[in-house]
């Protein structure tokens, strides 16, 4: 086995194990937590190695890179997630090319994804990226604006709202991220009641804090560095 393959499989195995462990310890089933392996800046060959080890879901943040990689690996039955910030002019490249988009944070962006989905005759699954950290953060919809955005999005025929995503403002450790994860879960529950809808997904938790995210109810954890190593930029 090549060194890269050995190293990747070792790290992947550790992450899978820790996810199972965290799920078990918080009284959840391990199949309630899906690992999204964040492959941005890492080559298609890495994705292929993990695919052969059973990993299907991969997350990408940059549209050109994501589409190039998915084209290169078109023969594999992969499940691509778009997790990055999205400019309006690139929205048309997203609908139909990703099983789910984690990072929708405005009606304008939702409208563009909706328009493209309708033209393709599909329903595009999305999550709303919520700023559960208030003033400290710019990305994501604020708690205050969230209900209005939910209302807009659930009226769009080409979109299917599946839940919320958050990106805590400080990357550090589980305990500093935990309050934001807790808050996201509360917001999800409040939204489900208020709109009488079911939101199956909470996308939260990265390399340094996914344990706390799982304890607080994450169904999708987005992990890059701990699997692939440091990104080259
Ligand atoms: C890059 C990225 C990740 C992965 O982060 P790691 O710390 O490398 O695990 C997760 N979520 C988003 C939105 C990202 O951009």
């Amino acid at each position: 086995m090549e060194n890269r393959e050995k190293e990747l499989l070792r790290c992947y195995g550790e992450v899978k194990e820790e996810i199972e462990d965290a799920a078990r310890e918080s009284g959840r089933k391990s199949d309630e937590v899906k690992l999204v392996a964040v492959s941005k800046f890492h080559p298609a060959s890495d994705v292929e190695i993990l695919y052969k080890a059973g990993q299907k879901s991969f997350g990408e943040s940059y549209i050109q890179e994501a589409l190039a990689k998915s084209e290169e690996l078109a023969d594999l039955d992969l499940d691509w997630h778009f997790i990055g910030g999205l400019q309006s002019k690139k929205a048309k490249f997203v609908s139909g090319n990703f099983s789910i988009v984690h990072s929708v944070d405005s009606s304008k962006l939702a409208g563009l994804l909706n328009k493209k989905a309708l033209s393709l005759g599909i329903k595009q699954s999305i999550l709303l990226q919520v700023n559960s950290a208030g003033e400290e953060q710019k990305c994501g919809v604020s708690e205050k604006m969230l209900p209005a955005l939910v209302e807009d999005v659930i009226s769009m025929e080409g979109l299917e709202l599946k839940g919320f995503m958050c990106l805590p403002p400080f990357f550090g450790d589980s305990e500093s991220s935990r309050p934001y994860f807790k808050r996201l879960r509360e917001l999800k529950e409040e939204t489900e009641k208020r709109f009488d809808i079911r939101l199956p997904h909470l996308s939260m938790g990265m390399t340094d804090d996914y344990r706390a995210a799982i304890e607080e109810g994450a169904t999708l954890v987005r992990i890059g560095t701990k699997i692939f190593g440091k990104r080259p930029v």
Side-chain angles (χ1 to χ4, degrees):
M1 226 190 276
E2 301 282 335
N3 281 342
R4 178 61 178 163
E5 185 172 3
K6 245 190 217 160
E7 180 65 7
L8 263 182
L9 293 178
R10 185 182 65 76
C11 296
Y12 175 65
E14 272 179 25
V15 168
K16 291 288 284 183
E17 228 170 80
E18 201 181 342
I19 290 172
E20 275 186 28
D21 194 53
R24 197 177 331 106
E25 278 187 16
S26 37
R28 305 180 62 203
K29 295 199 198 87
S30 58
D31 64 4
E32 287 171 31
V33 185
K34 186 193 257 184
L35 168 62
V36 179
V38 178
S39 48
K40 64 179 179 216
F41 297 124
H42 296 289
S45 55
D46 281 1
V47 173
E48 197 168 3
I49 289 169
L50 294 180
Y51 175 79
K52 286 184 183 148
Q55 179 65 25
K56 287 207 168 174
S57 301
F58 291 86
E60 289 281 338
S61 296
Y62 302 95
I63 190 74
Q64 283 95 337
E65 180 190 356
L67 295 180
K69 232 177 269 181
S70 76
E71 195 167 309
E72 195 175 339
L73 299 170
D75 293 348
L76 311 184
D77 176 26
L78 289 162
D79 168 39
W80 293 102
H81 293 223
F82 193 80
I83 65 172
L86 199 49
Q87 296 164 272
S88 301
K89 61 176 195 234
K90 306 238 171 103
K92 59 178 176 291
F93 300 113
V94 172
S95 289
N97 283 319
F98 298 87
S99 66
I100 187 163
V101 183
H102 292 225
S103 43
V104 178
D105 65 356
S106 71
S107 290
K108 182 183 175 199
L109 185 54
L112 292 166
L113 295 173
N114 180 54
K115 191 171 156 206
K116 179 69 184 189
L118 290 173
S119 79
L120 295 169
I122 60 159
K123 254 193 190 290
Q124 175 65 55
S125 291
I126 65 159
L127 305 175
L128 297 180
Q129 181 173 349
V130 181
N131 173 354
S132 54
E135 294 293 294
E136 296 149 32
Q137 205 177 23
K138 291 194 191 75
C139 276
V141 61
S142 67
E143 288 191 18
K144 196 165 143 249
M145 301 301 289
L146 180 63
L149 180 56
V150 169
E151 191 161 11
D152 277 353
V153 164
I154 57 183
S155 73
M156 295 179 184
E157 296 282 320
L159 299 183
E160 188 153 338
L161 178 61
K162 297 273 199 184
F164 296 158
M165 180 270 241
C166 79
L167 198 62
F170 315 106
F171 305 120
D173 59 89
S174 270
E175 291 324 307
S176 44
S177 297
R178 189 183 297 274
Y180 307 108
F181 298 153
K182 265 201 168 81
R183 186 65 194 136
L184 195 68
R185 183 192 182 140
E186 289 167 6
L187 288 169
K188 174 186 111 89
E189 289 166 356
E190 286 166 19
T191 305
E192 287 179 317
K193 275 208 198 94
R194 177 166 178 168
F195 291 92
D196 194 22
I197 52 175
R198 207 178 109 53
L199 300 173
H201 284 304
L202 277 176
S203 167
M204 53 193 199
M206 304 164 46
T207 287
D208 293 324
D209 56 16
Y210 66 95
R211 240 195 129 90
I214 292 169
E215 288 163 8
E216 301 301 335
T219 62
L220 298 169
V221 287
R222 311 176 309 269
I223 302 176
T225 308
K226 188 150 186 192
I227 298 173
F228 295 96
K230 274 207 164 46
R231 288 179 282 275
V233 281

